[in-house]
């Protein structure tokens, strides 16, 4: 697994498509773990997110989308606005559009969750970072 984490490219595998969706399983590696786009269509995107133990995503918000997070395995520490909650397997939460949020793995095993994005624009550039452990905030 350590060798996989050192690879810094994107892999893509074509999935069967229909007229309603543009479905591609593309895995992108990040300093905190990885995400795979499972399906994408007009107004929605579904991702599988894996966060390494002890790591967290940036404190961020999105102007054009909301997100639903469902924990598959591991433990999630979620900051959403002023609220901080812990989620375990088969628990979920909702992150409204334009709300500061953060996902963290305080556990000792990888955190795996499914994220469902809804909105008018779902591009990776719709992100405003307020704090980031990996120095990715814009100055």
């Amino acid at each position: 697994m350590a060798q996989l984490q050192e690879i810094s490219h994107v892999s893509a595998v074509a999935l069967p498509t229909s007229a309603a969706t543009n479905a591609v399983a593309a895995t992108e590696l990040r300093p905190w773990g990885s995400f795979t786009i499972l399906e994408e269509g007009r107004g929605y995107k579904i991702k599988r997110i894996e966060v390494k133990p002890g790591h967290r995503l940036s404190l961020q918000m999105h102007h054009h989308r909301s997100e639903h997070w469902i924990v598959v395995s591991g433990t999630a520490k979620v900051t959403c606005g002023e609220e901080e909650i812990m989620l375990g397997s088969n628990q979920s939460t909702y992150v409204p559009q334009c709300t500061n949020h953060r996902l963290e793995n305080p556990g000792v095993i990888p955190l795996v969750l499914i994220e469902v994005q809804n909105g008018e624009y779902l591009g990776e550039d719709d992100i405003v970072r307020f704090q980031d452990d990996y120095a990715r905030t814009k100055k």
Side-chain angles (χ1 to χ4, degrees), residues 43-61:
Y44 78 96
K45 185 185 292 186
I46 302 169
K47 290 182 177 178
R48 178 191 183 276
I49 297 176
E50 186 166 328
V51 183
K52 297 185 271 189
H55 288 259
R56 63 185 182 174
L57 283 68
S58 57
L59 179 63
Q60 58 186 256
M61 73 90 147

Side-chain angles (χ1 to χ4, degrees), residues 41-114:
R42 187 176 192 165
Y44 78 96
K45 185 185 292 186
I46 302 169
K47 290 182 177 178
R48 178 191 183 276
I49 297 176
E50 186 166 328
V51 183
K52 297 185 271 189
H55 288 259
R56 63 185 182 174
L57 283 68
S58 57
L59 179 63
Q60 58 186 256
M61 73 90 147
H62 311 288
H63 288 288
H64 302 285
R65 70 174 181 252
S66 61
E67 298 173 339
H68 294 264
W69 294 339
I70 304 106
V71 176
V72 175
S73 61
T75 302
K77 181 178 177 183
V78 175
T79 302
C80 186
E82 298 298 316
E83 187 178 1
E84 195 172 276
I85 60 171
M86 299 291 282
L87 298 175
S89 182
N90 202 34
Q91 293 183 312
S92 63
T93 192
Y94 172 71
V95 179
Q97 182 176 319
C98 295
T99 302
N100 291 4
H101 61 281
R102 167 177 268 159
L103 179 63
E104 182 175 347
N105 181 357
V108 296
I109 64 169
L111 165 63
V112 177
L113 63 88
I114 299 299

